[in-house]
Amino acid sequence: MRPIGIFLRSVIGHVTALVMMLASFAWTSPAVAQDWSLQKTAQPTTYTSVGQTITYTYVLRNGGGGNGTLTVLLDDQIGVVNCPTNLVPVNAVITCTASYTITAADITNGSVTNVATATGNSCGECPIVVSSPPVTVNFVPPTTGSLTIAKQTANGTGTFAFSVTGPTAISGFSLTTTATGTPVSTAGSTLSNLSPGTYEFTENLPAGWSLTSVICTGAGLTSSNVEAGGTARITVAAGAGGTCTFTNSELGNRTRSIIGNFLTRRGDLLASETGRPRLVDRRANGTGGPFRNSSGAMMLGGGGNDEQGSFEFATSLSRIQSTSASRRKDSIARLGATSDHASLDIHDGGSTEPRPGFDVWVEGKYTYYDHGIDGQKSDGSFGLLRVGADYLLRPWLLVGVIAQFDKTSESSSALGYSIDGKGWMAGPFAEFQLSDNVILDIKGLWGESSNWISPFLTYRDTFETTRWLAAAYLLGWQEFPQVANRPAQSRKAEIDRVRLGDDPVLGWRKALHPAHDAGIGLSSRQRGGLGERSRCYAGRDNKPRRNRDDPRN
């Protein structure tokens, strides 16, 4: 029995040693790919618009075999994914995240599918490569949109209350600016889950303020032109998202400044066009004195460049009659004078006596000009038509009446405004010939104007003015006979004395050219004066009278 027992104990010992050895090999064997796993999820699982963010979560698990190291985690849509650590303990997990932004191509494709792959090792003995199952995020057409309303102001700050009507009920809200040119928005002005359609935003404008523009940025948002009264319409498409900025400007200062500059320039133009002395024009058909070079039934003139210029004309009944008589005289001279022709009543165009009796006349002038404000260009034009009738009571005294009509326009795309106006003035005038070469011209006119202004090129308002002109004009000239081959010349001195309100302005000017260029203006550097008072914005009454069609009334 003893040998059998010894044999059995020997067998059992060997078996035990073999089992322990196999167990040792199993414990220390390197990990295989099946020990690691990678799972990937997306949030959200659908998308509706370009720019939407999808967040992916990656969970890497080490199922056994020993501690491991992550070499790299790659996503075929994103690229390298950063993880909080590269150590992967046995029977543990590490979690990594990455984001993807939806593109226009993803909207077209209808979905985004991607796969992640993790590469690592365990115990440094063999590489491990494991991939996640594919994850697909699908496109779902949106059914609502979102919108943020921002407010910015120019020329001041203020609080602006909004009311909104549209397909989705929206509570009113207010926005307050604290600095000019800085947009502000609040949680109350961030509007979400908006049904597609057109929304009407109306501001409760503080006194003196105007809504000048609404600019929307972002997909699916369209703004309409600003309407009078602080109203704008914004169309929101399904899936829309972005910001619409409402810009307001303090109305009074800008409008008053534009009107003031406009009235000043128009006043200078009106006052500088005092017209030709009628006694001189009657005198020898205007061919003597300072108007030696003007002749014929119609006087035309003008010139200019790209920045400024003018064109003008003038005629009268006496000019037409005198020109006709001169032509008849020339015809008779060519035919030869006879006793029959001697009885014809032909006025001598070279006479120095004023043409007697009644006369009617018309003058017109068109002027265009450029001027700068704050370094920006503004274009303007001025047209004037003057008609009159006069009667020569004495060879030295002429009386008459004048009616004139004017139209002035100015605009600037750089400064963003336009203004124009039509007006008239009428009144009597008288001229006195104090000596052979000295004439005194006195005028007094009164009238009104109607004007339109768009201070921001977004709406138009109206204002009216009354205007008057009082002027005394003294003209003197000296004739110089022709010497050698040089033509005769005239030297003239002009004195204008006018009144602007209660302030007299005295101006002097001398000229050697034979063209009459009298002028009066609004400042001491000009000659003369013209008063124009706005019944809306300018003058004593600074309260604007709104257009009756303006909803802000």
Side-chain angles (χ1 to χ4, degrees), residues 103-430:
T103 66
D106 298 328
I107 301 295
T108 303
N109 295 334
S111 64
V112 175
T113 300
N114 52 357
V115 175
T117 301
T119 301
N121 63 71
S122 179
C123 297
E125 297 184 8
C126 63
I128 297 175
V129 179
V130 61
S131 297
S132 70
V135 174
T136 298
V137 180
N138 294 308
F139 169 65
V140 176
T143 58
T144 62
S146 61
L147 168 64
T148 297
I149 300 298
K151 167 65 63 183
Q152 70 176 2
T153 53
N155 305 324
T157 59
T159 298
F160 303 84
F162 287 79
S163 60
V164 188
T165 59
T168 300
I170 300 174
S171 300
F173 57 90
S174 296
L175 294 174
T176 300
T177 59
T178 57
T180 59
T182 302
V184 297
S185 58
T186 64
S189 67
T190 300
L191 313 175
S192 57
N193 297 321
L194 300 178
S195 298
T198 299
Y199 292 79
E200 183 177 278
F201 292 79
T202 301
E203 291 187 353
N204 183 14
L205 293 172
W209 285 86
S210 172
L211 175 61
T212 58
S213 68
V214 176
I215 299 176
C216 294
T217 58
L221 298 174
T222 305
S223 62
S224 66
N225 293 331
V226 174
E227 299 178 9
T231 297
R233 291 178 172 84
I234 299 175
T235 301
V236 179
T243 300
C244 291
T245 301
F246 285 60
T247 300
N248 294 69
S249 294
E250 202 282 321
L251 178 66
N253 290 337
R254 176 180 173 87
T255 302
R256 280 191 293 269
S257 175
I258 294 173
I259 291 178
N261 292 332
F262 175 75
L263 294 183
T264 297
R265 282 186 289 275
R266 183 169 69 179
D268 289 342
L269 292 166
L270 282 171
S272 66
E273 300 299 328
T274 58
R276 302 175 183 276
R278 300 304 305 157
L279 275 173
V280 175
D281 199 51
R282 282 177 176 246
R283 189 183 180 115
N285 192 25
T287 59
F291 306 102
R292 179 180 308 279
N293 291 342
S294 59
S295 61
M298 176 76 71
M299 292 189 299
L300 300 173
N305 52 41
D306 291 341
E307 296 184 353
Q308 60 183 1
S310 64
F311 304 92
E312 60 184 318
F313 73 92
T315 189
S316 65
L317 178 61
S318 62
R319 274 187 172 277
I320 296 173
Q321 292 174 339
S322 178
T323 301
S324 176
S326 295
R327 291 174 178 173
R328 291 168 54 198
K329 180 179 178 180
D330 292 342
S331 298
I332 292 173
R334 287 193 298 269
L335 294 174
T338 65
S339 58
D340 295 334
H341 298 142
S343 63
L344 293 176
D345 181 16
I346 302 177
H347 186 274
D348 183 3
S351 171
T352 59
E353 291 298 322
R355 181 178 296 277
F358 178 79
D359 196 11
V360 294
W361 45 271
V362 59
E363 298 174 348
K365 187 171 185 178
Y366 174 81
T367 301
Y368 64 92
Y369 55 90
D370 292 342
H371 62 90
I373 301 177
D374 297 330
Q376 301 293 337
K377 181 181 177 182
S378 181
D379 300 321
S381 64
F382 171 76
L384 177 67
L385 179 67
R386 182 186 290 113
V387 296
D390 53 58
Y391 189 79
L392 189 68
L393 293 177
R394 296 287 188 271
W396 52 269
L397 173 61
L398 181 143
V399 296
V401 293
I402 305 172
Q404 64 181 44
F405 309 89
D406 60 273
K407 183 179 188 303
T408 310
S409 299
E410 285 187 6
S411 64
S412 173
S413 57
L415 296 172
Y417 81 90
S418 67
I419 185 170
D420 56 271
K422 299 178 181 179
W424 62 272
M425 285 195 292
F429 73 97

Side-chain angles (χ1 to χ4, degrees), residues 528-547:
L530 176 141
E532 185 166 18
R533 182 169 66 86
S534 168
R535 293 201 293 266
C536 290
Y537 295 106
R540 297 179 181 176
D541 183 4
N542 292 326
K543 296 180 179 179
R545 188 182 73 183
R546 299 292 189 187
N547 191 321

Side-chain angles (χ1 to χ4, degrees), residues 205 211 225-231 458-461 549-552:
L205 293 172
L211 175 61
N225 293 331
V226 174
E227 299 178 9
T231 297
T458 55
Y459 64 90
R460 284 168 64 89
D461 269 333
D549 297 329
D550 192 332
R552 287 174 290 178

